[in-house]
Amino acid sequence: MLLCGPSGSGKSLLAARSGLPVLRLDDFYKEGDDPTLPLVAGSSDIDWDHPDSWDADTAVAAITELCRTGRTDVPVYDLGLSARTGAETVDIGRTPLFIAEGIFAAEIVTRCRELGVLADALCLSRGPVKTFRRRFLRDLREGRKSVPFLLRRGWRLMRQERTIVARQTALGAYACDRDEALERLAAAGRCEGMRTAA
């Protein structure tokens, strides 16, 4: 189950509330010294909201391995340091369904579908102002970046939110609010459970 949506839309909270195992796709960001990182147009800021700041190939490989074997090794990423600080093993055992959540999840919908590992793809949407406030307070609390950077990023993302949601739905994710997402997660879990039992 892929879960995407603008930064601050509540993906991590929803994933935790679902009770399903979770793969954090934010751990697949490139490191801050990677020369391929994109910049915000007209700025020297790294554009951490651009798909090129993320390692899609490694993320897809981890998802595929989890689906096939129930476990995989993943990086541990520190957003404040913009660096991988270690690695850990994600083990979902025989659970038939897990959530892979992150702002770039929609980028891999087609690949996951073609590989036969996609149950559903959801895009959370709460509205630009609510998302801005939630994202800023979270990022400030977690010390993800400097306050000026967070304000510049937050303002830019608030203005782009409708475009972000439109792009993610065009890539194959279904736009919904938290309650509908939980209903679809429950339905996908029942379907996967029936397939496993069969």
Side-chain angles (χ1 to χ4, degrees):
M1 175 74 67
L2 292 175
L3 180 60
C4 63
S7 175
S9 59
K11 297 178 296 298
S12 298
L13 190 62
L14 176 70
R17 187 175 169 188
S18 75
L20 293 169
V22 178
L23 176 66
R24 296 181 314 269
L25 295 178
D26 284 355
D27 283 330
F28 296 91
Y29 268 110
K30 295 176 181 176
E31 298 202 74
D33 59 356
D34 189 313
T36 66
L37 284 170
L39 298 179
V40 175
S43 167
S44 60
D45 289 342
I46 293 172
D47 189 351
W48 295 107
D49 300 288
H50 191 287
D52 288 346
S53 67
W54 186 66
D55 186 351
D57 292 338
T58 304
V60 169
I63 289 169
T64 303
E65 188 171 14
L66 265 181
C67 289
R68 300 235 160 89
T69 70
R71 61 184 296 144
T72 190
D73 293 327
V74 298
V76 174
Y77 195 91
D78 187 311
L79 293 169
L81 298 174
S82 303
R84 293 179 180 182
T85 58
E88 67 181 6
T89 300
V90 174
D91 190 335
I92 64 169
R94 297 177 57 84
T95 304
L97 189 69
F98 68 94
I99 296 175
E101 65 91 5
I103 64 172
F104 300 123
E107 302 294 323
I108 56 175
V109 168
T110 298
R111 290 171 68 178
C112 288
R113 184 176 290 121
E114 289 172 349
L115 290 165
V117 296
L118 182 66
D120 200 356
L122 306 178
C123 173
L124 277 189
S125 179
R126 295 180 148 210
V129 175
K130 191 171 186 178
T131 302
F132 170 87
R133 182 178 179 280
R134 190 176 183 286
R135 175 177 52 241
F136 181 73
L137 292 175
R138 176 204 66 194
D139 291 352
L140 193 62
R141 182 178 64 249
E142 295 178 5
R144 290 188 173 191
K145 304 290 179 195
S146 71
V147 172
F149 178 91
L150 293 178
L151 287 170
R152 288 193 305 272
R153 176 180 182 248
W155 177 249
R156 178 171 45 85
L157 290 178
M158 185 173 72
R159 288 180 293 142
Q160 295 175 348
E161 179 152 335
R162 286 183 178 85
T163 303
I164 291 168
V165 171
R167 173 179 165 74
Q168 293 182 349
T169 55
L171 289 169
Y174 175 78
C176 56
D177 62 15
R178 182 192 63 198
D179 292 339
E180 188 175 4
L182 285 169
E183 290 172 8
R184 288 178 71 105
L185 284 168
R190 286 192 294 272
C191 290
E192 290 298 320
M194 286 188 282
R195 283 179 203 156
T196 302

